[in-house]
Amino acid sequence: MIRNKVISKFTWLIMLTTIIFSTILFSQEADIQFEHIAHEQGLTSKWVFSIIQDKKGFIWICTFNGLFKFDGYDFKGYIQEPANKNSLSSNNIRTIYEDKAGMLWVGTINGLNKYDSSNNRWVRYLNDPDNANSLIGNFINAVWEDSSADLWIATSRGLDKFARRNERFIHYTHNPKDPHSLSDNNVTAIYIDRTDTLWVGTGGGGLNKFDTKTGKFIHYTYNQENPYSINDNNVTAIHEDRSGTLWIGTGRGGLNRFDKKTGQFVHYRYEPGNLHSLSNSNVSAIYEDSSGTLWIGTNGGGINKFVRETEQFIHYKYDMNNPNSLSNDEVLAIYEDNADTLWIGTHGGGLNKFSRKKRKFRYYKKNIYNPNSLSSSRVWSIMEDHSGTLWIGTYDKGLNKFAREKGRFTHYIHDPNNPHSLSHNTVWSLLEDHTGTLWIGTGEGLNKFDRETERFTHYTSDPYNPNSLSDDYVFTIYEDPTGILWIGTRYGGLNKFDREKEQFTHYKFDLDNPNSLSDNTVRAIHEDSAGIFWIATYGGLNKFIREKEQFVYYQNDPSIKHSLSNNVVFSLCEDRSGNLWVGTNGGLNKFDKENETFTHFSMKHGLPNNLVCGIIEDEKGYLWISTEKGISKFDPKAETFRNYDVSDGLQSNDFNAGAHYKSKKGEMFFGGVNGFNSFFPDEVKDNEDIPPI
């Protein structure tokens, strides 16, 4: 009995460790952002069959509508020209291979092509029924070069060896009377391993190993009575990893790991209900990147990353609600270039890419496979409390408490049956006051959160109570040095909250009062180093003279060059020199308090977008600015911008006003439509590797 208890505890410990490891692993890995390349960027086909990078650094993309060369900036297309015999033999390009001499070989559905780069022309090799030494079949699936510099050609009508010395094709086909012949004429994949052994995949005859000395083929086919046989005779992909293990993809049986010594196969299939199994049993591509990670492309299940330690798969699929997800779930090609960028070709979704280099920005989003991830990727507010816990407000799924060391999010949502739950699932603003109390601005009033009892106290608008909150949409919350809370609302102007009496004093726009607030939509509140109160509204910038309870406002005047650039003000920031920076819907403004003039910075100066959502100053005096087209680092002295977008690891190019925060340690947070990013400014360094042109 004691032994059983020990075993049970040990087993439970292993299970718990696996669960925790998997949860953290999958929450960290589900944040890949794909950049989509299609017609708008110059790639005129959505069907990408093969990708390579040549020795000169060019990326070549085989598509349904021609061959494309990418130089890092532009795409150049090569297509069949009916009147030109020196053009490609077909526009339907299936595969491309660069030999040791740097020669490009292109396989199409109508023959093999060799590229003569010195003359910019193509040499065609086609099947000639009257020539026994010509190509055996015109539909080319793969090309590979052996150690003798001869080429092996996989066609739909058999396997060819191309002896380049005399330019003769030697044919290997299936002979029903010869058990050592090729098992099937539809050759779908070929691979020459490190021992110079040729492996041949077929569409109906399984896997073949070719003995070049004897000229015989050894067959590995599906055997229902042998659980260690290959599990499907339709072989779609072959790859040898750095350890010498052979991986075989099939059309129906999933992925096979082949032990060449024992001749046994280990199977990985799609398992319904298992989130960590292969996403689809139709495997279309296998690729090992420079770090040794194995990527599996499937026909209908997107791309899979194989975690060897746990033998689990992480899935990356198309998500209609995520603009940075994989563009299509039918993956046909995977390739890593010299800059550690992974390229993924799809059937109908064009080309995808993402950089595997260390990201400049950490990225968090909702992971549908992990219930402990962010509750929603639409982030509208962020705050770190005194203990280092991160709080995130979302647009539609309430409030999140993020324990970063555990990688776990706790969710607080509105429950109609619980009067002490969060009052609304839209969380616009967050504040921790000097007592450690958490205040939450929602779409239905102000909430005070008791972290011990986990109860929310609600303060809402009551039309019959003039001392209630003026409006239930709470856009911003600010605590001044005296401990007074100031509440900015969407439609009800500014509120001053007396916490002892639990009463609100209202400051609203009054058409008949020139000293009233300029607009009832308040987006930001800031008290500067001189004790001046600044209010950002949709009707300009306001200076609040609290002693007189009067407002002086600054608005755009087209006739005045140095007036505010736009009346819709989203954000405010005071730098270490006492300058006030104003983010508007018309760019960035620097306010000269003495002359009361504004200096404008917009897209024509290098700002990526004129809608400035948030502004934060770092320890070196640089301003970090979130916009609707990425994040920009602004040097106020040089007046220059350095812009970052999704290719640098941003959650999206689209950020939200109010969703920005700087911690005591100097870490910055910016939220947007697809999650949020965090980073330390000193860690954001530009890539000094200049790619060859």
Side-chain angles (χ1 to χ4, degrees), residues 497-508:
F497 183 43
D498 186 326
R499 282 188 270 188
E500 292 184 2
K501 297 180 180 179
E502 292 197 333
Q503 293 182 346
F504 295 85
T505 302
H506 308 156
Y507 302 89
K508 296 183 179 182

Side-chain angles (χ1 to χ4, degrees), residues 476 478 486-489 493-495 507 516-528 532-546 550-555 564 567-572 580 582-583:
T476 186
Y478 181 82
W486 297 85
I487 316 299
T489 69
L494 180 68
N495 291 246
Y507 302 89
S516 70
L517 188 68
S518 66
D519 189 86
N520 283 331
T521 300
V522 176
R523 287 307 315 235
I525 305 168
H526 174 74
E527 185 173 11
D528 67 18
I532 299 173
F533 228 49
W534 299 93
I535 316 295
T537 78
Y538 280 3
L541 175 67
N542 289 245
K543 180 170 66 174
F544 183 40
I545 304 171
R546 281 178 285 181
Q550 294 180 345
F551 295 86
V552 176
Y553 46 86
Y554 304 86
Q555 295 177 319
L564 186 67
N567 285 336
V568 178
V569 181
F570 292 111
S571 51
L572 300 170
L580 185 67
V582 184

Side-chain angles (χ1 to χ4, degrees), residues 160-184:
D160 264 9
K161 177 182 178 181
F162 181 48
R164 283 196 270 181
R165 291 183 180 179
N166 52 18
E167 293 212 334
R168 292 180 59 188
F169 290 88
I170 302 170
H171 312 317
Y172 298 88
T173 58
H174 173 63
N175 183 352
K177 297 179 181 181
D178 182 2
H180 301 297
S181 69
L182 187 66
S183 63
D184 186 80

